[in-house]
Amino acid sequence: MTANLSETLTLLLIEDDDGDAFLVEELLNQAVAPPKIFRARSLQEAKAQLSPKIQCVLVDLSLPDANRLEALEEVLAIAPHAAVLVLTGLRDVHVGVTAVQAGAQDYLVKQDVDARLLARSIRYSMERKRADLAQLKLVQAELITAENARLESALLPGPLLGSADIEHMTRYLPGSGGTLAGDFFDTVQTPDGAVHLVIGDVCGHGPDEAALGVALRIAWRTLVLAGQTSDTLLRTLDTLLRAERKAPEIFTTLCTATISPDLRRARMLVVGHPPPVLLRGGVVALPDGTPSGPPLGIFADVEWSEIDVPLGDDWSMMLYTDGLIEAAVGEPDGLLGVDGLVNLVREHGTIDLDRLITHVGTLSDDLAVVLVRRRKA
């Protein structure tokens, strides 16, 4: 009866006894698709042959240069993606059980091996290894998801807003890569009734950038609650960014708005960031004036200038990150852009976040949006 190894495998047999090695090779050659077999007589020889092309390792634990489980530990460390099948003698059955507990996929007693049993054990070891790797990937994905959720809650907090005259909405969508980036936003109303908003974007993607975004957001909230605003606030954030970033080329763009207690005016800082969109009495407009200055973390001794914007009695203001205007839309390689965004708001006659986001296509970057509007009396 021939063994049934249905796929051609690449195996490494680590066995110092020539007779035992010959027996195993003969049994493997009876398979429907005989595997490609490499042979090592010691752990040292095996180390030179273990590579990603090896799919399964058959290892004798009685090697001249390794003490029992030492060989297994070395194999598992060097070839973590290979299935490992341990070969033992009659007197070492308990060692085989221990080996499986230590990470091997299966064990065989040499004296009991035939072609059918060997083929079946190899198939079992391969499938169990696939299952182990799939489970590991699942656990890693769950950990990443949990970490992203934790970072997202820190990047995108609930507003500290006590006024019933302000309507506040936010949206956040990760980019096509699914990796959390450094987009952050926050809203705080201070005791004098002024409403402060920030939206920012740390360049790059990944946990380091996200963590830096968390630090900047928390620092912004702390400074605002402590009464710091405008140029002093930005200088402090710039100092923090330079101290905390992992590389000197990391910079941060942001946009802030401070709405006066009577909700009729706003002071804005546009720091290397896309300008807000303002719907004011039915008229779509970008804030008057030039950008306030370059992003944080690029130039030393920068002074940022505020932009004074009249709001009136009926207004909506949207702050966003560049993931929105860099979203694919229309023809291939077409981007929404600031003008496209303004035209959409003008066509809709209002700023409807869900409708707006539905209109854009594939996101190449994270998208964060904050919308505030004055409630009508």
Side-chain angles (χ1 to χ4, degrees), residues 12-16 24 40 42-43 46 50 56-63 66 68-76 83-89 96 99 104-108 110:
L12 175 62
L13 173 62
I14 310 175
E15 172 62 73
D16 63 320
V24 171
S42 66
L43 181 60
L50 281 172
C56 184
V57 179
L58 281 68
V59 55
D60 176 19
L61 295 186
S62 300
L63 296 175
R68 297 196 175 228
L69 292 181
E70 181 184 350
L72 173 63
E73 293 170 355
E74 291 280 357
V75 169
L76 292 174
V84 179
L85 178 61
V86 168
L87 302 175
T88 72
Q105 276 62 58
D106 200 3
Y107 76 94
L108 284 175
K110 295 178 185 179

Side-chain angles (χ1 to χ4, degrees), residues 106-151:
D106 200 3
Y107 76 94
L108 284 175
V109 178
K110 295 178 185 179
Q111 291 83 350
D112 295 339
V113 173
D114 58 27
R116 179 193 293 271
L117 178 60
L118 181 58
R120 185 177 64 186
S121 186
I122 291 174
R123 286 199 308 273
Y124 169 80
S125 297
M126 295 289 293
E127 290 304 318
R128 181 174 177 185
K129 187 63 179 183
R130 291 191 184 104
D132 290 345
L133 291 175
Q135 179 64 27
L136 179 61
K137 289 182 179 179
L138 178 61
V139 171
Q140 290 173 338
E142 290 175 346
L143 289 174
I144 291 173
T145 299
E147 182 65 11
N148 279 348
R150 186 181 70 82
L151 285 171

Side-chain angles (χ1 to χ4, degrees), residues 10-26 28 35-50 53-54 56-60 62-64 87 110:
T10 301
L11 308 181
L12 175 62
L13 173 62
I14 310 175
E15 172 62 73
D16 63 320
D17 187 287
D18 291 337
D20 288 344
F22 177 79
L23 174 62
V24 171
E25 291 171 347
E26 284 296 302
L28 289 173
K36 185 176 182 180
I37 306 170
F38 292 87
R39 164 88 185 282
R41 291 174 171 78
S42 66
L43 181 60
Q44 193 63 34
E45 285 186 21
K47 289 180 180 180
Q49 299 191 58
L50 281 172
K53 68 182 179 182
I54 301 297
C56 184
V57 179
L58 281 68
V59 55
D60 176 19
S62 300
L63 296 175
L87 302 175
K110 295 178 185 179

Side-chain angles (χ1 to χ4, degrees), residues 86-299:
V86 168
L87 302 175
T88 72
L90 281 173
R91 292 178 297 178
D92 295 324
V93 173
H94 66 286
V95 177
V97 175
T98 304
V100 171
Q101 294 172 342
Q105 276 62 58
D106 200 3
Y107 76 94
L108 284 175
V109 178
K110 295 178 185 179
Q111 291 83 350
D112 295 339
V113 173
D114 58 27
R116 179 193 293 271
L117 178 60
L118 181 58
R120 185 177 64 186
S121 186
I122 291 174
R123 286 199 308 273
Y124 169 80
S125 297
M126 295 289 293
E127 290 304 318
R128 181 174 177 185
K129 187 63 179 183
R130 291 191 184 104
D132 290 345
L133 291 175
Q135 179 64 27
L136 179 61
K137 289 182 179 179
L138 178 61
V139 171
Q140 290 173 338
E142 290 175 346
L143 289 174
I144 291 173
T145 299
E147 182 65 11
N148 279 348
R150 186 181 70 82
L151 285 171
E152 185 174 325
S153 67
L155 284 165
L156 318 173
L160 291 180
L161 189 61
S163 174
D165 297 324
I166 289 286
E167 186 178 353
H168 182 276
M169 289 169 283
T170 63
R171 296 290 186 275
Y172 172 80
L173 293 174
S176 56
T179 304
L180 196 65
D183 291 18
F184 61 93
F185 57 71
D186 204 352
T187 302
V188 172
Q189 187 169 22
T190 46
D192 62 357
V195 177
H196 307 263
L197 303 100
V198 67
I199 193 161
D201 185 1
V202 179
C203 71
H205 295 80
D208 287 340
E209 288 75 13
L212 184 53
V214 171
L216 291 171
R217 185 203 64 77
I218 294 174
W220 178 88
R221 175 177 282 204
T222 303
L223 290 166
V224 168
L225 291 174
Q228 300 296 320
T229 58
S230 92
D231 193 74
T232 302
L233 182 147
L234 292 183
R235 287 184 181 279
T236 306
L237 293 180
D238 184 74
T239 300
L240 175 65
L241 170 64
R242 293 172 186 274
E244 296 293 331
R245 62 188 177 184
K246 299 294 184 180
E249 64 270 16
I250 299 295
F251 63 89
T252 298
T253 70
L254 57 82
C255 177
T256 71
T258 298
I259 303 170
S260 61
D262 63 5
L263 307 182
R264 296 181 58 84
R265 303 194 69 83
R267 301 191 318 275
M268 295 184 182
L269 288 161
V270 182
V271 182
H273 198 84
V277 172
L278 181 63
L279 190 61
R280 183 172 47 192
V283 177
V284 177
L286 298 175
D288 296 330
T290 58
S292 304
L296 303 179
I298 295 183
F299 302 112

